[in-house]
Amino acid sequence: MAKKDKDIFDKIMDWKIFGWFRPFYVKNKEMLLYLFFGVLTTAVSFVTAGISKVLLEQAGIGKGGVSTTSTVISWICAVTFAYITNRIWVFESEAEGKKAIISEAASFYGGRIFTLLVEMFMMWLGYSLLSFNYWITKIVANVVVLILNYVISKLVVFRKK
């Protein structure tokens, strides 16, 4: 078996300044990268949700429409970002060829559709129905979704054959 090339994160961890952290990183690389890219994915989600929310409110759309539409738009942007980063760095996918990659992507997006429905339900319940703060509801929903997404990715999408 050929030795795998170091990725950018492995190279950064080779810097002397991170020497103290390297053993922990090596032991927990997948989880650390998942959390790192999860934070970035959440940022993509929040930025696109915020832009969508403002534009939809300016267009005179009601709370239910704002909640649902902004969630779907932010979901599409965030899931695309997450698939690319999870495939390349977090789970280091070994899927090769058009058919395997399409199958993997379909599985990833399928899992994310499930968690989209969970997020939409939580946004509808918290923001639209119970009138909780939009951003607090969004944060709580995103924590739940982050955990569910990791489990689905680890056990279904990127499981090692």
Side-chain angles (χ1 to χ4, degrees), residues 19-43:
W20 62 273
F21 185 70
R22 182 155 177 63
F24 182 77
Y25 167 78
V26 169
K27 183 177 179 183
N28 300 289
K29 179 181 178 180
E30 181 181 277
M31 183 65 72
L32 290 170
L33 289 178
Y34 185 79
L35 292 173
F36 173 74
F37 286 114
V39 168
L40 292 180
T41 298
T42 300

Side-chain angles (χ1 to χ4, degrees), residues 19-104:
W20 62 273
F21 185 70
R22 182 155 177 63
F24 182 77
Y25 167 78
V26 169
K27 183 177 179 183
N28 300 289
K29 179 181 178 180
E30 181 181 277
M31 183 65 72
L32 290 170
L33 289 178
Y34 185 79
L35 292 173
F36 173 74
F37 286 114
V39 168
L40 292 180
T41 298
T42 300
V44 169
S45 177
F46 278 39
V47 167
T48 56
I51 291 168
S52 300
K53 179 181 182 290
V54 168
L55 294 174
L56 292 165
E57 286 173 343
Q58 288 177 351
I61 307 295
K63 276 188 168 185
V66 168
S67 175
T68 302
T69 307
S70 66
T71 299
V72 170
I73 290 169
S74 70
W75 180 86
I76 291 167
C77 296
V79 171
T80 301
F81 177 82
Y83 175 67
I84 293 166
T85 58
N86 279 224
R87 175 177 165 62
I88 295 170
W89 290 293
V90 177
F91 297 105
E92 299 174 339
S93 174
E94 297 174 1
E96 292 182 16
K98 189 177 183 178
K99 185 177 179 183
I101 292 171
I102 288 171
S103 175
E104 178 184 81

Side-chain angles (χ1 to χ4, degrees), residues 101-113:
I101 292 171
I102 288 171
S103 175
E104 178 184 81
S107 178
F108 187 87
Y109 278 84
R112 292 314 199 265
I113 288 171

